[in-house]
Amino acid sequence: MAMTPTEAALFEIGGPRARRRILIGTILSALALAALFAWIVYRFYIKGQLDSRYWYFFAQLNVWEFIGMGLVGTMRAALGAGAIAVVFGLVLMLGRTSRWAPVRWVATAFIEFFRGTPTLLFIYAMFLLPAQMGLKISTYWMVVIPVSAYASAVLAEVYRAGAAAVPHGQKEAGVSLGLSEWQNFRYVVMPQMFRIITPTLVTQLVVVVKDTSFGYVVTYPELMVNAKVIIANFSSLVPVYLVVAIIYILVNLAISRFANWLSRRQNTQVLDIPTVMPHMVES
């Protein structure tokens, strides 16, 4: 597989000896993983976890439908929190880099507070505080608001790093064209910033997907909550959690693959400067 420009900048292409060492290391790692998998299966066998009474219900369609409903709940919460975080994270980044000190202080305080506090604590707060104030909030928002708040704080720093990574000469070129500070950010910095950070934005969704598992606190019907219901009905803890873990791995692997594809696609695109510059000058 060909390396992306980012990977090519970070990693030197190895020679024949390096490639041989990499091949040997890959084979040894694969054998070690195969041995570990065999040992896990053996431990399951001697502990009786492979008995049919712990697995038979997976042949029932209604069980998979229930798991699917939980997965849909997880993805609904993840997409909702992710969409909010993408927008609000940009707002926080603009606030943190603002020239007005009060705006900068508020944005910085929000970012540092929500980045440094566990998401689970925010979910507990959303579960307890509104009820004390007489407010009714659905379990969906009890999960989405805390998860999106944490993700927004993280993405604000990702945006800031992406904006800082845009070559300074390009910002100066925008100023030389007579663009205002906002126009310079909108037409020169922001398109390149998104090209740089889009893979990171997508992979941040992996964290959001995992954070939705805290929905058990408020009994939001997501994958882990539905798994607990299945465990309670069939008294099969390890097999159910194993299947759910595999589902999470497959979902997050798909997101990571999408991020890699997006990175390669964006790195092959070239900004059409002649069609953009006249519009910027006229503005």
Side-chain angles (χ1 to χ4, degrees):
M1 181 183 296
M3 290 194 296
T4 66
T6 302
E7 292 170 337
L10 295 174
F11 305 102
E12 184 178 351
I13 299 176
R17 292 180 62 185
R19 287 197 292 269
R20 281 196 299 271
R21 288 196 295 268
I22 292 172
L23 178 61
I24 293 172
T26 302
I27 293 173
L28 292 177
S29 299
L31 291 175
L33 289 174
L36 177 62
F37 178 77
W39 178 80
I40 292 173
V41 172
Y42 173 72
R43 296 297 299 177
F44 271 38
Y45 174 74
I46 63 176
K47 293 295 183 179
Q49 290 296 323
L50 298 182
D51 292 350
S52 61
R53 68 177 184 273
Y54 293 123
W55 296 88
Y56 76 94
F57 54 87
F58 284 115
Q60 300 177 10
L61 180 60
N62 62 331
V63 171
W64 286 105
E65 289 177 346
F66 194 63
I67 293 175
M69 290 168 57
L71 181 59
V72 170
T74 293
M75 297 312 298
R76 282 184 63 241
L79 291 175
I84 294 172
V86 167
V87 177
F88 195 54
L90 182 60
V91 173
L92 287 173
M93 185 275 287
L94 293 174
R96 182 156 191 173
T97 57
S98 173
R99 288 185 176 182
W100 294 308
V103 175
R104 189 168 61 249
W105 295 339
V106 171
T108 302
F110 184 96
I111 291 170
E112 296 302 328
F113 176 76
F114 279 91
R115 278 204 312 158
T117 308
T119 305
L120 183 59
L121 185 60
F122 296 142
I123 294 179
Y124 272 116
M126 285 296 300
F127 178 63
L128 298 173
L129 294 181
Q132 296 293 327
M133 302 169 61
L135 301 176
K136 290 186 178 180
I137 299 178
S138 68
T139 56
Y140 174 79
W141 290 110
M142 288 182 186
V143 175
V144 169
I145 292 175
V147 172
S148 62
Y150 170 78
S152 298
V154 174
L155 290 184
E157 294 299 278
V158 172
Y159 284 130
R160 194 159 67 98
V166 176
H168 191 67
Q170 303 214 11
K171 303 173 187 177
E172 292 178 340
V175 173
S176 68
L177 289 172
L179 299 179
S180 65
E181 183 178 356
W182 167 246
Q183 288 175 326
N184 199 20
F185 176 78
R186 178 183 176 186
Y187 295 118
V188 179
V189 176
M190 191 161 65
Q192 298 182 72
M193 176 190 76
F194 273 107
R195 184 176 61 83
I196 293 169
I197 68 171
T198 295
T200 307
L201 290 178
V202 177
T203 52
Q204 180 62 27
L205 186 59
V206 172
V207 179
V208 172
V209 169
K210 292 190 292 185
D211 282 350
T212 58
S213 62
F214 293 133
Y216 74 88
V217 173
V218 296
T219 64
Y220 171 70
E222 47 84 40
L223 189 56
M224 287 297 295
V225 170
N226 285 15
K228 289 178 181 294
V229 174
I230 295 174
I231 291 170
N233 280 275
F234 296 100
S235 301
S236 177
L237 189 145
V238 174
V240 172
Y241 278 145
L242 180 62
V243 170
V244 169
I246 292 173
I247 293 174
Y248 271 114
I249 291 171
L250 292 176
V251 170
N252 291 330
L253 182 62
I255 295 172
S256 299
R257 293 288 185 182
F258 176 70
N260 292 334
W261 171 82
L262 198 59
S263 177
R264 289 194 299 270
R265 182 174 182 273
Q266 288 191 327
N267 282 314
T268 58
Q269 293 178 342
V270 179
L271 183 62
D272 189 1
I273 299 295
T275 60
V276 175
M277 295 297 286
H279 175 66
M280 291 195 300
V281 174
E282 290 173 3
S283 300

